[in-house]
Amino acid sequence: RLLIIDFGSQVTQLIARRLRELNVYCEIHPYQKVNDAFLDDFAPKAVILSGGPDSVTRPGSPRPPQSVYTRGVPILGICYGQQVMMQDLGGRVEGGKITGGGGTAEFGRAYVMPAGQLPLLDGWFETGREQVWMSHGDHVAQLAPGFEVYGTSPNAPFAVTADASRHFYAVQFHPEVHHTPKGAKLYENFVRLAGFSGDWTMAAYREEAIRAIREQVGEAKVICGLSGGVDSSVAAVLIHEAIGDQLTCVFVDHGLLREDEAEQVVTMFRDTYNIPLIHAEESERFLTALDGVSDPETKRKTIGRLFIDVFQHYADQIEGAAFLAQGTLYPDVIESVSFSGGPSVTIKSHHNVGGLPEKMGLKLVEPLRELFKDEVRALGRELGLPDSFIGRHPFPGPGLAIRCPGEITREKLDILRKADAVFIDQIRRHGLYDEIWQAFVAILPVRTVGVMGDGRTYDFACALRAVTSVDGMTADYYPFTHEFLGETATRIINEVTGINRVTYDITSKPPGTIEWE
Ligand code: XMP
């Protein structure tokens, strides 16, 4: 296995992701934890020293134990990791100047030119130079003995350096980020040089995660809030596999779910997986609190507040619970680190149970914290969750409330659920479900006049929404054919009493948002 020593870079997790893509097992450990005993115990086959915000020129700045260099294993140093290697092995690092030539601070895109043959760079420089992503203040001023330069950029004369005889490699840029297009190839070369066969799989991740959950939780009880979404479901199934009935799930049913959704969740967890589940059927409470509310933010806040009260009420019944499980993913972790306290404007108050653990005196179990969405899906498949479930479109915490602009009534919710089910059925029948990021119906707060048979109708209008997106941050409307739209409109009007007009929302995000509220 490979050890990544983390010096605090924002993108350390991306290194792990690149390695998982190469089917290499790795673990990230903070530098504070890595001492001689740790290294002996871990016995890494190779080590990566991550980037980090500190400066090696500062006394007391983070270092790995010196024994890392005498174990005879390949080492790759990245950015701060490069500077650590140079300093530790007898070279010299200087603080960066922001302007001027030769070894200055550098942030953003840069181009590396070859300066020698190195197996680490196999497949590089096919077009003469390679784009890389730099983000550093300091720079190497003098190489450590035994090191040579194999790649340079105008501002980083020591962009790629190595002591090939010892398999010590050190690069100034970040090969793990998207903006270093050949970065994955560099990692592939490194793990090949280190002798990894690339046979590690999600099955192994599952085993490792189960071991870690057992170690963290011990004999204690764990509560997991289940939303019916992919993340919390995968987390729950994984934790249940690790600790069995020490886990209880609480599923808060706020009456704002889609057709048959509550039954599906309850059946799947209780009957298929035998996971202890409290079905908190509290729709009356939520709908009563939402009575007469039409302002979007008030809706969101009302639901959010009530959700926490209800969750806490049910969780309090689970005696001796010490942990709260959450399906937090890695992007949530990065966002909360890099954007917390930032000057951004609240567009929508998101459903958030962030304050809950402290309020309830619970510790967190977050077994998906290192994974990206597609990896969570792969883990879900590994755990045997059905494909149809794993590929589901995202669904917002406040549910149908924010797809019902204006006042929410039971009548409107019933109509909306039926129309939504027809739309999704259409999309599935036409084999479009997996091409679409998210699709749903919004019921509009207006009635319009129509004619059906020989009679006049005066019913609700609805809007279809379907978008493509990579991360939900930006989105494009899906270009359905006119035939598809026509057929869908006809089906909704024929099959759903209460709707007599169908429109298609062709707004992208920005300027629109995906949801209507
Ligand atoms: P918007 O409407 O902001 O939505 O473009 C972007 C993505 O986030 C989902 N969404 C939410 N998810 N709680 C959630 O868990 C929320 O309060 C919430 N609001 C929006 C939305 O469905 C889309 O996928």
Side-chain angles (χ1 to χ4, degrees):
R1 54 191 178 161
L2 189 149
L3 171 65
I4 301 170
I5 304 183
D6 185 15
F7 293 108
S9 159
Q10 291 271 326
V11 289
T12 303
Q13 282 295 343
L14 288 176
I15 306 175
R17 178 178 172 108
R18 295 285 96 84
L19 295 171
R20 285 200 292 268
E21 284 166 355
L22 295 165
N23 296 330
V24 168
Y25 181 70
C26 65
E27 285 182 27
I28 299 177
H29 290 278
Y31 72 91
Q32 297 95 325
K33 199 170 130 188
V34 180
N35 53 25
D36 292 345
F38 179 94
L39 283 177
D40 284 342
D41 184 47
F42 193 99
K45 193 163 158 180
V47 175
I48 294 180
L49 307 177
S50 87
D54 214 322
S55 167
V56 295
T57 60
R58 189 182 67 76
S61 54
R63 293 302 151 84
Q66 284 298 308
S67 65
V68 78
Y69 303 110
T70 52
R71 303 187 67 87
V73 299
I75 302 179
L76 171 63
I78 292 160
C79 196
Y80 181 84
Q82 178 197 37
Q83 294 154 14
V84 163
M85 280 174 85
M86 287 305 131
Q87 191 100 331
D88 283 351
L89 295 169
R92 195 162 49 80
V93 173
E94 281 177 359
K97 305 185 288 288
I98 297 299
T99 55
T104 58
E106 205 178 7
F107 299 90
R109 186 176 286 115
Y111 291 92
V112 173
M113 310 290 291
Q117 286 289 328
L118 186 70
L120 185 75
L121 300 177
D122 279 356
W124 273 47
F125 304 127
E126 279 160 1
T127 55
R129 60 178 197 172
E130 242 15 284
Q131 181 188 315
V132 300
W133 196 256
M134 296 278 190
S135 177
H136 62 99
D138 297 346
H139 63 271
V140 174
Q142 191 193 321
L143 287 179
F147 277 77
E148 308 263 356
V149 178
Y150 295 93
T152 64
S153 81
N155 279 327
F158 301 120
V160 183
T161 62
D163 176 346
S165 65
R166 284 191 284 176
H167 284 307
F168 285 179
Y169 305 96
V171 298
Q172 180 64 86
F173 52 87
H174 287 274
E176 60 277 19
V177 304
H178 191 69
H179 293 90
T180 302
K182 284 274 180 74
K185 184 70 188 158
L186 190 148
Y187 283 112
E188 188 186 324
N189 293 335
F190 177 68
V191 297
R192 180 174 42 80
L193 290 165
F196 286 91
S197 51
D199 55 3
W200 178 82
T201 57
M202 218 11 122
Y205 186 90
R206 166 190 184 172
E207 292 312 311
E208 177 52 31
I210 286 172
R211 192 200 56 72
I213 294 165
R214 286 187 184 140
E215 187 180 310
Q216 185 190 4
V217 168
E219 302 293 310
K221 284 194 181 165
V222 179
I223 309 169
C224 180
L226 214 55
S227 68
V230 175
D231 305 341
S232 61
S233 302
V234 171
V237 173
L238 181 69
I239 294 171
H240 188 251
E241 214 171 278
I243 58 168
D245 292 354
Q246 282 165 257
L247 172 73
T248 304
C249 290
V250 177
F251 169 50
V252 177
D253 181 350
H254 49 25
L256 298 161
L257 297 165
R258 290 165 291 188
E259 194 159 84
D260 298 331
E261 197 165 15
E263 292 74 24
Q264 283 167 10
V265 171
V266 172
T267 311
M268 182 160 106
F269 283 87
R270 248 188 217 153
D271 302 345
T272 313
Y273 283 97
N274 286 317
I275 299 179
L277 174 80
I278 299 177
H279 179 188
E281 210 290 281
E282 293 282 358
S283 54
E284 272 311 308
R285 229 172 126 179
F286 279 87
L287 297 182
T288 305
L290 288 167
D291 223 12
V293 177
S294 56
D295 174 66
E297 277 299 286
T298 314
K299 281 183 191 171
R300 284 174 169 273
K301 290 192 171 134
T302 306
I303 296 167
R305 209 177 316 116
L306 209 50
F307 186 93
I308 289 184
D309 288 350
V310 168
F311 186 82
Q312 192 166 2
H313 169 77
Y314 284 91
D316 282 346
Q317 298 171 4
I318 303 164
E319 247 170 74
F323 289 90
L324 178 70
Q326 284 186 343
T328 317
L329 306 193
Y330 185 56
D332 308 327
V333 179
I334 326 181
E335 286 202 8
S336 60
V337 173
S338 52
F339 297 137
S340 60
S344 61
V345 175
T346 303
I347 306 290
K348 302 178 181 189
S349 307
H350 267 228
H351 221 285
N352 184 356
V353 287
L356 205 53
E358 295 99 83
K359 205 169 151 200
M360 296 174 63
L362 297 174
K363 285 173 274 182
L364 277 177
V365 192
E366 297 179 305
L368 312 180
R369 237 183 119 78
E370 289 168 17
L371 302 183
F372 290 78
K373 190 85 182 181
D374 56 329
E375 295 180 310
V376 171
R377 292 195 163 122
L379 180 59
R381 268 182 221 110
E382 183 58 43
L383 290 162
L385 283 158
D387 263 341
S388 56
F389 182 81
I390 284 176
R392 292 205 319 172
H393 292 168
F395 186 66
L400 299 181
I402 57 172
R403 296 177 178 177
C404 194
E407 283 189 28
I408 299 162
T409 64
R410 287 169 179 76
E411 182 203 9
K412 281 197 208 165
L413 287 174
D414 284 342
I415 296 172
L416 174 56
R417 267 190 273 268
K418 293 198 181 89
D420 191 78
V422 174
F423 184 35
I424 298 300
D425 181 58
Q426 274 288 99
I427 288 174
R428 285 204 190 275
R429 279 195 199 182
H430 284 76
L432 303 174
Y433 191 84
D434 294 337
E435 279 177 43
I436 293 171
W437 162 268
Q438 207 168 3
F440 57 87
V441 173
I443 183 164
L444 305 188
V446 280
R447 289 179 194 260
T448 71
V449 174
V451 52
M452 273 177 98
D454 291 324
R456 175 189 194 264
T457 58
Y458 187 55
D459 286 330
F460 286 108
C462 73
L464 312 179
R465 181 79 163 137
V467 296
T468 55
S469 176
V470 184
D471 50 15
M473 303 297 284
T474 57
D476 259 324
Y477 74 87
Y478 187 80
F480 289 122
T481 61
H482 286 258
E483 289 72 22
F484 175 90
L485 289 170
E487 190 183 302
T488 307
T490 306
R491 271 195 66 192
I492 291 178
I493 292 167
N494 286 341
E495 294 174 33
V496 183
T497 310
I499 289 188
N500 67 354
R501 192 174 297 268
V502 176
T503 65
Y504 186 40
D505 176 359
I506 54 166
T507 320
S508 60
K509 173 183 179 175
T513 54
I514 296 176
E515 304 288 348
W516 274 48
E517 293 193 328

